[in-house]
């Protein structure tokens, strides 16, 4: 395995891992630890198949094309409009999620100093400080994001290593969902958890870039996607074990989606001030790196759509379009960290399940040859069914 493959694996894993990982214990606590882990594995299997399906489409459409061009080539202008609208909706939703999560952690950081910062002020501070970096330029943000992501991974390893010995087998093996909630409520909680877990495996946006980077080598790309998507699965399993297995599913469920309460509970288990600081810093870096990555993509996409000039006025215009809509939502919907993350699954399903299935069906009719993911029509139908289930689950919970 060469350095280019290792780098590509890191890109796939890094695209998935981020602030969404912090939401997993909050979204799955009521299910029981073992069912939550099984749900992770099931969604991971779907994500691997859809990533290989997108690889098939990309290779047949032409190495070097981006997702927008591939969609246009296979589905025409209508497909491009659907893909573009879904991509924009996804990025806006994730920006809103990270504004909520980041501002809630910012509020908690001021409390030990005796400074009371309300939700609105925290959202504005977080947006202006970290969103301001986006307006300066993306050339150096990429390097800073890599550095912060590397630090986040190192802190994650430290936190997991020190908290794993504190995991209680009773929490892992014996705590069942029926002990936490009523049977009637459990169905809704399962439906609410599925879209959040699905969103946590959304690494597919980087596939076209990696295909170009590895010069369309199908076998190398297949290994990269399978290994790169397995790394987040392992990280998520470890994260659920050290959260639900130490704090307990009942306690985490009682946090009602509050990220600061989860971080504080983990800090309460830590035996040293250094580990408490590592937990706090890890949570903050997970949100900040995700926020920078998502908003950088959104800023660039909006600049391309509006054909904004690369000067002060043009960048200000793009910045306002990028941040004002999610900022307003975060200001007036303060407790939506988990709920909005679930809504992000809707455009993601369109982007990585429905559109790829439509493109694959069109390409396969032409008998273009080359790499084709196994499973045939049955796998395509099963994937479409999973997509419908995810959308139905989110709509059922929301409506």
């Amino acid at each position: 395995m060469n350095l280019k493959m290792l780098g590509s694996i890191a890109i796939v894993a890094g695209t998935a891992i981020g602030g969404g990982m912090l939401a997993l214990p909050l979204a799955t606590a009521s299910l029981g630890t073992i069912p939550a882990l099984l749900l992770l594995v099931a969604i991971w299997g779907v994500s691997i198949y859809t990533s290989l399906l997108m690889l098939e489409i990309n290779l047949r459409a032409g190495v070097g094309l981006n997702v927008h061009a591939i969609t246009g080539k296979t589905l025409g202008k209508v497909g491009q409009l659907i893909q573009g609208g879904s991509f924009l909706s996804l990025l806006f939703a994730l920006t809103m999620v990270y504004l909520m999560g980041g501002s809630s952690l910012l509020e908690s950081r001021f409390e030990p100093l005796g400074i009371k910062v309300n939700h609105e002020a925290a959202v504005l501070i977080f947006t202006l400080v970290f969103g301001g970096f986006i307006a300066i330029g993306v050339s150096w943000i990429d390097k800073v994001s890599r550095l912060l992501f590397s630090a986040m991974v190192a802190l994650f390893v430290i936190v997991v290593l020190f908290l794993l010995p504190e995991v209680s087998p009773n929490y892992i093996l014996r705590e069942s969902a029926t002990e936490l909630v009523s049977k009637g409520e459990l169905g809704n909680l399962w439906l609410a958890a599925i879209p959040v877990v699905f969103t946590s495996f959304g690494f597919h946006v980087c596939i076209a870039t990696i295909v170009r980077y590895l010069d369309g080598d199908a076998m190398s790309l297949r290994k990269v996607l399978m290994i790169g998507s397995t790394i987040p699965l392992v990280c998520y399993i470890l994260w659920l074990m050290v959260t639900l297995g130490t704090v307990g599913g009942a306690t985490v469920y009682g946090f009602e989606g509050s990220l600061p309460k989860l971080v504080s509970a983990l800090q309460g288990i830590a035996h040293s001030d250094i580990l408490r600081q590592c937990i706090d810093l890890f949570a903050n870096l997970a949100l900040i790196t995700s926020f920078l990555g998502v908003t950088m993509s959104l800023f660039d996409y909006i600049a391309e759509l509006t054909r904004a000039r690369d000067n002060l006025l043009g960048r200000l215009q793009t910045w306002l379009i990028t941040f004002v809509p999610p900022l307003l939502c975060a200001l007036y919907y303060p407790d939506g960290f988990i709920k909005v993350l679930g809504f992000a699954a809707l455009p993601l399903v369109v982007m990585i399940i429905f559109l790829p299935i439509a493109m694959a069906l069109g390409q396969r009719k032409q008998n273009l040859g080359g790499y084709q993911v196994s499973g045939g029509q049955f796998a395509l139908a099963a994937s479409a069914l999973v997509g419908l289930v995810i959308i139905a689950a989110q709509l059922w919970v929301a409506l």
Side-chain angles (χ1 to χ4, degrees), residues 39-97:
L39 177 60
L40 275 179
V41 173
I43 297 295
W44 165 74
V46 174
S47 74
I48 281 188
Y49 174 78
T50 53
S51 68
L52 294 176
L53 183 64
M54 291 182 72
L55 172 62
E56 171 194 323
I57 295 161
N58 205 308
L59 291 174
R60 285 177 169 173
V63 176
L65 296 179
N66 59 31
V67 176
H68 189 67
I70 293 169
T71 308
K73 188 174 181 179
T74 53
L75 299 178
K77 289 290 184 182
V78 174
Q80 282 185 319
L81 286 173
I82 295 172
Q83 187 272 333
S86 300
F87 186 56
L88 205 58
S89 301
L90 175 65
L91 294 180
F92 270 127
L94 291 178
T95 299
M96 181 179 166
V97 166

Side-chain angles (χ1 to χ4, degrees), residues 26-354:
L26 298 169
T28 61
S30 59
L31 309 182
T33 306
I34 298 299
L37 295 177
L38 292 175
L39 177 60
L40 275 179
V41 173
I43 297 295
W44 165 74
V46 174
S47 74
I48 281 188
Y49 174 78
T50 53
S51 68
L52 294 176
L53 183 64
M54 291 182 72
L55 172 62
E56 171 194 323
I57 295 161
N58 205 308
L59 291 174
R60 285 177 169 173
V63 176
L65 296 179
N66 59 31
V67 176
H68 189 67
I70 293 169
T71 308
K73 188 174 181 179
T74 53
L75 299 178
K77 289 290 184 182
V78 174
Q80 282 185 319
L81 286 173
I82 295 172
Q83 187 272 333
S86 300
F87 186 56
L88 205 58
S89 301
L90 175 65
L91 294 180
F92 270 127
L94 291 178
T95 299
M96 181 179 166
V97 166
Y98 298 140
L99 281 178
M100 291 173 177
S103 61
S104 66
L105 288 180
L106 189 62
E107 286 180 66
S108 65
R109 290 195 67 85
F110 280 107
E111 288 177 3
L113 303 175
I115 302 173
K116 180 65 175 178
V117 177
N118 61 29
H119 169 74
E120 290 77 11
V123 171
L124 289 170
I125 292 170
F126 189 87
T127 303
L128 292 173
V129 172
F130 294 103
F133 294 151
I134 302 299
I136 297 171
V138 299
S139 58
W140 64 275
I141 291 177
D142 182 46
K143 297 181 178 65
V144 172
S145 295
R146 291 182 193 179
L147 179 63
L148 293 178
F149 180 79
S150 299
M152 183 197 74
V153 171
L155 288 167
F156 175 76
V157 172
I158 293 170
V159 169
V160 167
L161 286 177
F162 279 91
L163 288 184
L164 268 179
E166 307 297 328
V167 171
S168 168
N170 288 333
Y171 286 147
I172 297 293
L173 299 174
R174 298 180 184 176
E175 191 173 56
S176 65
T178 53
E179 295 174 356
L180 305 179
V181 296
S182 65
K183 290 184 178 180
E185 191 181 2
L186 181 59
N188 285 338
L189 292 171
W190 265 98
L191 293 176
I194 290 170
V196 175
V197 175
F198 178 72
T199 306
S200 300
F201 284 98
F203 58 86
H204 303 64
V205 292
C206 68
I207 291 175
T209 303
I210 291 173
V211 169
R212 182 168 59 250
Y213 183 58
L214 294 180
D215 301 317
D217 183 346
M219 291 302 102
S220 295
L221 286 161
R222 186 173 180 275
K223 290 178 184 177
V224 163
L225 291 175
M226 295 188 72
I227 296 171
S229 62
T230 303
I231 292 173
L233 173 67
V234 174
C235 291
Y236 295 163
I237 288 173
L238 291 172
W239 180 239
L240 283 186
M241 288 182 66
V242 300
T243 50
L244 302 183
T246 57
V247 180
T251 304
V252 176
Y253 177 62
F255 294 158
E256 297 181 342
S258 172
L259 186 54
K261 288 181 180 179
L262 175 63
V263 174
S264 296
L266 291 173
Q267 288 178 309
I269 296 168
H271 295 303
S272 69
D273 289 335
I274 294 176
L275 183 56
R276 293 187 191 98
Q277 291 299 320
C278 286
I279 293 170
D280 182 59
L281 191 56
F282 161 70
N284 282 280
L285 286 181
L287 280 168
I288 291 169
T289 52
S290 296
F291 177 79
L292 290 176
V294 166
T295 53
M296 183 172 63
S297 299
L298 180 58
F299 186 92
D300 284 348
Y301 192 63
I302 289 174
E304 183 181 341
L305 285 178
T306 59
R307 298 179 181 177
R309 294 182 178 180
D310 192 15
N311 54 26
L312 181 60
L313 185 61
R315 297 187 73 80
L316 177 60
Q317 170 190 311
T318 304
W319 191 91
L320 290 172
I321 298 173
T322 300
F323 288 102
V324 169
L327 174 61
L328 291 175
C329 293
L331 285 171
Y332 295 105
Y333 192 45
D335 300 321
F337 181 66
I338 301 295
K339 293 179 181 178
V340 178
L341 192 60
F343 267 111
L346 299 181
L348 189 62
V349 165
V350 175
M351 286 176 59
I352 71 174
I353 295 184
F354 291 157

